[in-house]
Amino acid sequence: ESPGKHSGPVWQIKWVDRDRLTGEEHGEMLVSISTDGRITRWSIRKGFECSDLMRLKRISNKKEIKDRKLDIKRSHEGLISRFSGGLSFDFYPKDTNIYFAVTSYLTGTEDGHIHKCSCSYNEQYLESYFGHMGPVYKVIWSPYLPDAFLSCSGDWSVKLWNQEKPKAIHSFQSSKEAVNDICWSPISATTFACVRDRAIEVWDLNVSTLDPIIVTHPSGYAKLSSVAFSCNSECLLVGDSDGHVTIYLLKNIPQPPESHVEILRKLMNPQTIATVIEETEKS
């Protein structure tokens, strides 16, 4: 047992290439995030040692600062909760920008904020993204475009972001249920899947940005908690609160056009969203 263990629930762990964290050694290192506000890396080279990549300090956007001034007498409460609980993180997947690939990652917090952080500088965030009104349960980079990432939240929405912009490019909401997990398709830049408490959805932004192309409601009362595409078959794996993993066969999924990456790139520009939809409908 490590003396530096987390003091709250651990929401995500992930093996990360060591040279992407430190630049000193090759191999893998385990990274974890917890509601105690810590993102921690673990090493088993000399026992089970750990060090913090980041303490997730609570920050406020302009609206929250204005609201807080109306109730300044609650300042003691801010001292108690000066750290945000961490729920998700994802490291930058490409090497097109060496500095960003080596040192930066995204984190989602209970505040509904997303932070871009540096492994070599843990005193403050590189950038913060505001838009969710509930806890952010998952952030995940696009495997196709280096600047694009998705997030999902307890505020019922999935949001598409450009890391160069502090506000979401687009928001997707089909019902009034929390979105617990999301994943990108391994074969299409415009397709992703998500699970709500009682529903599974598959979205194809090349078909529609308003509604999912597939919605299914599994029987039973288990809460859906995780989702993943199969890498070598047209299947979707879904986990639930009862500890079950169910495999769904995806039928009649449209094959991605050759320009699917370019379509996502155009969708990253809000001014072109209407144009892309119009061109898709004509074709």
Side-chain angles (χ1 to χ4, degrees), residues 169-184:
I169 300 299
H170 206 76
S171 184
F172 313 102
Q173 180 180 332
S174 63
S175 68
K176 296 181 179 180
E177 285 187 351
V179 187
N180 301 317
D181 196 17
I182 47 174
C183 62
W184 289 97

Side-chain angles (χ1 to χ4, degrees), residues 13-55:
I13 57 175
K14 188 175 186 178
W15 288 103
V16 181
D17 289 342
R18 186 186 295 268
D19 55 359
R20 289 171 65 184
L21 291 177
T22 66
E24 297 174 355
E25 303 177 23
H26 294 285
E28 290 183 318
M29 183 174 293
L30 188 66
V31 178
S32 61
I33 189 169
S34 168
T35 53
D36 64 6
R38 297 165 55 207
I39 301 175
T40 305
R41 57 183 174 185
W42 302 82
S43 174
I44 57 175
R45 184 178 180 183
K46 298 179 180 179
F48 201 41
E49 299 178 346
C50 69
S51 61
D52 288 343
L53 291 175
M54 176 66 72
R55 294 296 302 270

Side-chain angles (χ1 to χ4, degrees), residues 54-248:
M54 176 66 72
R55 294 296 302 270
L56 296 169
K57 297 178 181 178
R58 190 180 298 274
I59 65 172
S60 301
N61 59 25
K62 293 181 179 180
K63 181 179 184 302
E64 289 174 334
I65 292 174
K66 182 178 179 180
D67 292 343
R68 191 169 297 173
K69 287 180 179 179
L70 299 177
D71 198 6
I72 197 169
K73 292 182 180 181
R74 295 185 179 179
S75 59
H76 293 294
E77 183 179 331
L79 295 175
I80 296 174
S81 57
R82 63 178 179 269
F83 294 108
S84 296
L87 301 178
S88 176
F89 67 91
D90 196 24
F91 280 79
Y92 191 75
K94 303 293 184 181
D95 292 332
T96 52
N97 183 328
I98 299 301
Y99 170 81
F100 198 85
V102 171
T103 64
S104 296
Y105 52 96
L106 290 169
T107 66
T109 70
E110 291 179 313
D111 293 334
H113 303 162
I114 300 170
H115 306 296
K116 184 166 67 175
C117 311
S118 170
C119 294
S120 60
Y121 186 65
N122 61 5
E123 294 299 319
Q124 66 182 36
Y125 306 123
L126 299 180
E127 185 65 76
S128 293
Y129 305 87
F130 305 104
H132 282 297
M133 303 302 292
V136 179
Y137 293 133
K138 188 71 170 286
V139 286
I140 183 169
W141 287 102
S142 166
Y144 301 95
L145 282 185
D147 290 335
F149 65 93
L150 286 171
S151 63
C152 67
S153 170
D155 66 3
W156 314 335
S157 72
V158 174
K159 294 186 185 296
L160 175 66
W161 305 78
N162 183 334
Q163 63 137 338
E164 300 296 335
K165 301 180 184 298
K167 294 184 179 180
I169 300 299
H170 206 76
S171 184
F172 313 102
Q173 180 180 332
S174 63
S175 68
K176 296 181 179 180
E177 285 187 351
V179 187
N180 301 317
D181 196 17
I182 47 174
C183 62
W184 289 97
S185 165
I187 63 172
S188 172
T190 60
T191 302
F192 66 88
C194 65
V195 287
R196 300 179 183 272
D197 288 349
R198 301 287 186 269
I200 305 167
E201 299 177 354
V202 177
W203 292 72
D204 187 345
L205 306 184
N206 185 41
V207 176
S208 174
T209 59
L210 300 177
D211 300 294
I213 60 173
I214 294 176
V215 180
T216 184
H217 301 272
S219 59
Y221 298 95
K223 176 181 176 181
L224 305 181
S225 57
S226 59
V227 62
F229 278 98
S230 169
C231 295
N232 53 15
S233 63
E234 294 185 349
C235 293
L236 199 63
L237 286 75
V238 177
D240 63 37
S241 58
D242 285 344
H244 299 156
V245 176
T246 306
I247 302 175
Y248 293 87

